[in-house]
Amino acid sequence: MRPQGRSIDDRRAQIWACLQGVMDPELDESVTELNFVTRVDVDAADRVHIEFRLPTYWCAANFSFLMADDMRTAVGRLDWVKAVSVVLGEHMYADKINAGLAEGRSFQETFGAEADGDLDDLRQTFLVKAFQRREVALLSHLVALGQSPEQIVSLTLAELSCLPLDDTGEKLVRRYLERRAVVGSARADATAFVDAKGTRLSADGLPGYLSGLRRVGINAEFNGALCRGLLAARFDLETPFVPRSKATPASPGGEQVP
């Protein structure tokens, strides 16, 4: 019996909230905002079933597996969830990925000699890139507000958190702090702004550093727009999505998105 106060709608809402925090590793955007997640089911035994799709049939297998694994991990942290299945549809490696996920195998175990590198290394690489994109957005905002390079590079994380900022600035700070620990200590007294190796930024070098990172941001924005365009062109976003993978049939009563 379900604990009182936890309806099926409440549980679905919790699952969607977890998925909101799962990012496309290359774009650093939520899989829900990108419209990748298409169905969420919760059965009477508190087992969760998730279905998702990607913009192209040939999206990289390691990216696809990584997102699926991150979804399963995020939702599995909910204390009431007994099991999580994640199914990828409309993809050239869907059956292999879905079988590996269902059997609890790693990417390397699933693809064997075909596996290109370690998934944890790939995840770390894109976490660093996400840190850089979030950092340049925040730094650019602070510069636009009139903060000098000397003021910016002298900030600690505690001081950064206490800066009087508008709503946009506060959101940028929150997003930056979510990734700050990727490159070094995130203690309150640690330097707020560092490079990808954890080295403190210099005031003199800040303009050049920002210029380099902006190029990373422009590429990410282009890729994000491309992915959205490809997804819209590939699928009818006005009707529910039905995956063609043979791994797991959809269960009745599940929540779908167009």
Side-chain angles (χ1 to χ4, degrees):
M1 181 180 296
R2 297 183 186 279
Q4 291 185 354
R6 274 187 185 171
S7 69
I8 190 70
D9 289 338
D10 290 337
R11 296 194 170 204
R12 284 200 186 112
Q14 289 180 20
I15 294 167
W16 281 108
C18 288
L19 294 175
Q20 176 72 24
V22 176
M23 302 292 164
D24 177 292
E26 186 174 23
L27 304 179
D28 191 34
E29 295 186 52
S30 168
V31 293
T32 57
E33 292 177 359
L34 288 166
N35 204 24
F36 289 172
V37 181
T38 57
R39 188 179 182 97
V40 168
D41 291 340
V42 185
D43 68 17
D46 291 333
R47 294 172 299 199
V48 176
H49 175 65
I50 299 164
E51 294 172 5
F52 77 110
R53 62 188 170 192
L54 294 171
T56 70
Y57 186 72
W58 54 86
C59 283
N62 51 3
F63 285 10
S64 307
F65 197 100
L66 190 153
M67 277 185 275
D69 191 49
D70 284 351
M71 290 182 213
R72 181 174 56 181
T73 300
V75 173
R77 293 192 183 107
L78 293 171
D79 59 7
W80 55 266
V81 170
K82 299 298 187 292
V84 183
S85 71
V86 180
V87 171
L88 170 63
E90 301 282 2
H91 190 276
M92 63 187 297
Y93 290 118
D95 290 334
K96 180 173 284 193
I97 289 173
N98 293 336
L101 291 167
E103 296 170 14
R105 289 185 271 135
S106 68
F107 176 69
Q108 286 73 22
E109 290 169 335
T110 299
F111 282 87
E114 297 178 74
D116 182 16
D118 182 82
L119 211 61
D120 289 337
D121 291 342
L122 179 69
R123 182 182 281 109
Q124 180 64 21
T125 295
F126 282 103
L127 282 173
V128 171
K129 290 186 177 182
F131 158 78
Q132 291 176 318
R133 291 197 293 272
R134 296 184 186 198
E135 183 178 43
V136 70
L138 177 55
L139 285 171
S140 298
H141 188 76
L142 295 179
V143 169
L145 291 177
Q147 292 272 346
S148 70
E150 290 78 14
Q151 290 172 317
I152 291 171
V153 301
S154 67
L155 289 170
T156 65
L157 286 172
E159 291 167 342
L160 174 63
S161 299
C162 294
L163 283 180
L165 298 172
D166 56 15
D167 290 345
T168 299
E170 289 181 355
K171 180 180 179 180
L172 290 172
V173 169
R174 286 196 301 272
R175 281 179 54 80
Y176 176 69
L177 294 178
E178 289 173 359
R179 291 290 180 266
R180 174 59 179 76
V182 171
V183 295
S185 170
R187 297 184 319 183
D189 61 348
T191 301
F193 295 108
V194 296
D195 64 17
K197 296 181 179 180
T199 303
R200 177 175 178 167
L201 303 182
S202 69
D204 290 343
L206 187 61
Y209 181 74
L210 280 173
S211 178
L213 288 191
R214 285 186 182 120
R215 288 194 291 271
V216 176
I218 290 171
N219 288 337
E221 290 175 9
F222 173 80
N223 287 338
L226 179 62
C227 282
R228 287 186 175 87
L230 289 170
L231 190 73
R234 186 179 180 208
F235 297 108
D236 173 11
L237 300 184
E238 299 302 319
T239 58
F241 167 74
V242 180
R244 295 177 187 169
S245 170
K246 297 176 287 186
T248 307
S251 59
E255 180 177 344
Q256 292 181 319
V257 298

